[in-house]
Amino acid sequence: AAPAAAAAPAAAPAAAAAAAPAGGKRKRDKADTGEEERQVAKRIKTPAPQEPCRAFMWFVISNNPLEGREAYTSHTTYQNLLNKVNEFWKQGLWIKHICFDGSLYTALFNSNHKFAQQTLSHQTSLEDLKKFIKEYWNKGYYVTSLARDAVGWGIVVTKFQPHQAYYKQSYCVSCMIPINWIKQKWQKDFYISCCAFSEEPQLASVIIMSKGEPYSSQKVEVDFKYPSEVIHKHWDAGYIITCVASWQDQNVFVLSKPKATTFSTQVSSRTRDYKKEIKSAWDNNRSMVTLGYCRVT
């Protein structure tokens, strides 16, 4: 059985509950209520092609300059991660991002002044995950990070300081990347906050979008390797990488255009030693944005 969720102690008066309300009569919104989108594909047997050689590396994304205090931790089990998270919470550090590379949980932390309370939990099924999200929305929390491991979903929900929270949040569970749903949400000023993907026991993508992110535009790029030319093109247009994930040997990059630029450069590094790269970023006055274990060939 998965260990119980841990919750950080309150650091300030809780923000007014601004999450999407549960229950009540309203017009049915398939995405807002978290219904799964399913598509049935006809299967045709074809000779299996020769399997190409695959290589995976850590993608470490950082911005200049370094803002506030930061830390990271890596553990082979969720329970060990949970124990360390509690230590960092006591030091006034909040979870910024969690990820899982198949055998290792990694979490990034920073001293985010916008956060007031935080909870880390593990859910073993999609149904449990959806119930957990709705339960914490009703408590005034928002999903701020999500990861898929071998047996379930790691999820971070955060309660913001007054006047710092998102206006609203929505999620979609699908057997593919729900591009049409994402585009519809973009038109309503929602932007992707985090995402995670599962291949076993079933294909599933979980996309979290929030209204109130500090972005004016967003792009999603999917590629079997690191799309260097595409990334540089978006950088030149004012976008930055805000989310990296891997699914079915493909890499998913979310690039966002900030409303106001508070940094000078973004660095995207591919490495087998992400710990060394994180320390290098700090030594060069850069703050961590995100990281993911993704395909490079």
Side-chain angles (χ1 to χ4, degrees):
K25 294 183 178 179
R26 62 174 183 174
K27 185 176 180 181
R28 189 173 183 81
D29 186 328
K30 185 175 182 179
D32 286 340
T33 54
E35 290 190 0
E36 294 187 30
E37 296 181 354
R38 301 181 182 274
Q39 289 191 7
V40 180
K42 183 178 180 181
R43 295 186 177 182
I44 302 175
K45 290 186 177 181
T46 57
Q50 185 175 357
E51 194 71 16
C53 179
R54 298 185 180 92
F56 290 80
M57 297 179 74
W58 286 95
F59 290 6
V60 181
I61 314 300
S62 58
N63 289 343
N64 182 286
L66 178 63
E67 298 178 347
R69 294 182 297 137
E70 294 195 341
Y72 76 90
T73 187
S74 295
H75 298 280
T76 54
T77 67
Y78 171 80
Q79 183 59 58
N80 289 341
L81 173 67
L82 196 63
N83 295 336
K84 193 64 178 179
V85 165
N86 279 315
E87 293 181 20
F88 280 123
W89 278 337
K90 292 176 182 178
Q91 298 173 24
L93 293 173
W94 305 97
I95 301 171
K96 178 180 178 63
H97 176 71
I98 57 171
C99 68
F100 187 78
D101 75 342
S103 62
L104 193 70
Y105 258 115
T106 300
L108 302 176
F109 298 81
N110 65 8
S111 53
N112 194 323
H113 67 278
K114 295 182 179 180
F115 293 172
Q117 290 179 264
Q118 200 168 63
T119 293
L120 170 66
S121 183
H122 187 271
Q123 304 298 320
T124 56
S125 71
L126 282 172
E127 288 304 317
D128 290 339
L129 180 69
K130 290 186 282 188
K131 290 178 182 177
F132 178 85
I133 291 173
K134 292 176 182 178
E135 175 187 349
Y136 273 81
W137 275 350
N138 292 335
K139 295 179 180 180
Y141 288 77
Y142 296 89
V143 181
T144 50
S145 192
L146 188 66
R148 168 70 189 187
D149 62 25
V151 296
W153 304 82
I155 182 171
V156 180
V157 290
T158 303
K159 182 174 287 187
F160 288 72
Q161 296 282 7
H163 313 298
Q164 300 289 342
Y166 298 132
Y167 300 116
K168 193 176 181 182
Q169 195 168 69
S170 181
Y171 72 84
C172 183
V173 177
S174 175
C175 61
M176 61 186 65
I177 300 175
I179 294 298
N180 289 336
W181 178 82
I182 292 171
K183 289 180 178 178
Q184 291 173 4
K185 288 297 178 183
W186 280 341
Q187 294 175 355
K188 298 177 182 178
D189 295 327
F190 283 76
Y191 295 100
I192 297 171
S193 298
C194 56
C195 58
F197 303 93
S198 167
E199 296 183 28
E200 297 292 342
Q202 66 184 91
L203 288 176
S205 69
V206 181
I207 310 293
I208 307 293
M209 297 188 71
S210 308
K211 191 171 186 177
E213 287 281 14
Y215 310 137
S216 60
S217 183
Q218 201 169 61
K219 306 284 186 182
V220 175
E221 296 289 347
V222 182
D223 204 302
F224 284 102
K225 56 183 180 180
Y226 181 78
S228 181
E229 292 184 7
V230 173
I231 296 297
H232 279 270
K233 179 181 176 181
H234 288 313
W235 277 344
D236 291 341
Y239 289 82
I240 59 171
I241 300 170
T242 51
C243 186
V244 179
S246 181
W247 188 41
Q248 292 187 289
D249 290 341
Q250 297 183 85
N251 302 322
V252 180
F253 295 86
V254 179
L255 297 106
S256 309
K257 180 179 284 189
K259 292 180 179 178
T261 302
T262 59
F263 61 93
S264 58
T265 58
Q266 182 171 78
V267 176
S268 174
S269 304
R270 285 154 283 172
T271 179
R272 299 192 187 281
D273 188 351
Y274 72 92
K275 298 179 182 179
K276 181 179 179 180
E277 191 61 39
I278 291 174
K279 292 176 182 177
S280 174
W282 291 339
D283 290 342
N284 288 277
N285 194 40
R286 299 197 306 270
S287 59
M288 292 303 303
V289 177
T290 189
L291 78 163
Y293 192 68
C294 301
R295 182 177 177 178
V296 290
T297 59

